[in-house]
Amino acid sequence: MFRIGQSTDIHQLKEGRKMILGGVEIEHEKGPYGHSDADVLVHAIGESILGALALGDLGKHFPDTDDTYKGMDSMNMLKEIYNMMIAKGYVIGNLDALIMIERPKMAPHIATMRANIAQALCCDIEQVSIKATRGEKMGFVGREEGVLAQCICLLQKSENA
């Protein structure tokens, strides 16, 4: 049995915030603003898995009204979501994610992001696709006001389920 999930996550970019995407800290003058570390890529990936499992959204499980999650490393969130996925008897088939950001360039960091995500989800790096594109100076992405990530995932029933 297969299940498909998809998600989009958006965060403002603010001066003085760390830029963490896919569990990688990237040198930049701005970073995503949010309750946790605001790793927009990991949020989109995690929420797509939750969606495939019909478990609601990220805010249901990690509410921004709960100080427990303030400043949380989003990779830890993803590991918790992995445990939910395993408990439901599913594993990653594959996921395909897109980061939309004007600057900095993502290409030098994508291999490490893929490795981080694959490790957190206990799957092969070949099951994790991450791409990036720019806003070409148009819209909130092009004006460097925000960053957006999207993900679609395919889950398959575990052979051990």
Side-chain angles (χ1 to χ4, degrees):
M1 182 168 165
F2 296 98
R3 298 188 74 131
I4 297 171
Q6 67 87 33
S7 183
T8 299
D9 196 46
I10 303 169
H11 285 272
Q12 288 182 322
L13 288 173
K14 299 260 185 170
E15 299 267 342
R17 287 278 300 188
K18 286 183 181 180
M19 167 86 56
I20 300 173
L21 296 171
V24 178
E25 188 169 335
I26 300 166
E27 188 66 35
H28 195 59
E29 66 271 8
K30 292 180 180 180
Y33 178 76
H35 188 67
S36 67
D37 65 4
D39 187 330
V40 65
L41 175 61
V42 171
H43 292 183
I45 291 169
E47 193 167 76
S48 72
I49 295 168
L50 290 172
L53 297 169
L55 292 176
D57 62 19
L58 213 57
K60 177 181 176 183
H61 299 276
F62 307 96
D64 63 6
T65 55
D66 185 339
D67 282 344
T68 304
Y69 306 113
K70 188 163 181 61
M72 183 179 192
D73 180 338
S74 293
M75 293 302 291
N76 290 332
M77 267 186 225
L78 191 58
K79 290 172 186 172
E80 287 188 39
I81 293 167
Y82 167 80
N83 289 332
M84 293 178 212
M85 178 181 71
I86 293 302
K88 289 275 194 176
Y90 285 87
V91 294
I92 296 292
N94 74 299
L95 63 86
D96 186 23
L98 173 68
I99 306 164
M100 299 173 83
I101 191 166
E102 193 68 19
R103 291 183 317 115
K105 296 275 188 196
M106 292 292 109
H109 310 288
I110 287 178
T112 306
M113 291 176 190
R114 290 179 67 211
N116 289 346
I117 302 302
Q119 182 179 16
L121 297 175
C122 300
C123 67
D124 190 276
I125 196 166
E126 295 302 315
Q127 293 169 276
V128 178
S129 170
I130 299 173
K131 307 173 301 287
T133 192
R134 298 175 38 226
E136 301 293 338
K137 309 262 186 242
M138 297 181 293
F140 74 89
V141 170
R143 291 188 302 270
E144 299 183 45
E145 296 169 359
V147 56
L148 181 146
Q150 297 178 318
C151 183
I152 187 164
C153 73
L154 176 69
L155 303 184
Q156 58 191 45
K157 201 68 167 167
S158 171
E159 293 175 6
N160 300 325

